[in-house]
Amino acid sequence: MDRNLKDQILSELDSRIGRLQDHRQEEKPREDNQYAVLNHALSGVIGVSLEKELEDLRGFVQGL
């Protein structure tokens, strides 16, 4: 694999992982807005799984 392409892919994966980690640290919405609280909870659950998948993909690309 072309080294430049590999570095670009790794950089993009790092960026996406970082955004997921930042989102996880966001303040929980006010409790009076049930939909916002539900959305925050769901995005947290999905985000953890997605973050793990991206980290696994990053490890694979790193090994190429």
Side-chain angles (χ1 to χ4, degrees):
M1 174 177 270
D2 181 279
R3 181 71 183 163
N4 186 38
L5 178 59
K6 182 177 176 179
D7 289 343
Q8 286 178 321
I9 293 170
L10 290 172
S11 177
E12 180 62 26
L13 288 169
D14 286 340
S15 173
R16 291 177 186 219
I17 291 167
R19 287 192 305 255
L20 283 170
Q21 291 170 342
D22 289 346
H23 181 68
R24 189 176 28 181
Q25 302 301 320
E26 288 178 2
E27 188 174 319
K28 182 179 174 184
R30 295 187 337 228
E31 304 240 351
D32 60 335
N33 185 341
Q34 295 174 358
Y35 296 107
V37 171
L38 177 60
N39 185 43
H40 184 75
L42 288 173
S43 67
V45 169
I46 293 167
V48 168
S49 299
L50 182 55
E51 184 179 336
K52 175 67 174 129
E53 288 298 318
L54 289 174
E55 288 172 347
D56 289 348
L57 180 58
R58 189 191 189 295
F60 173 76
V61 172
Q62 184 69 40
L64 294 177

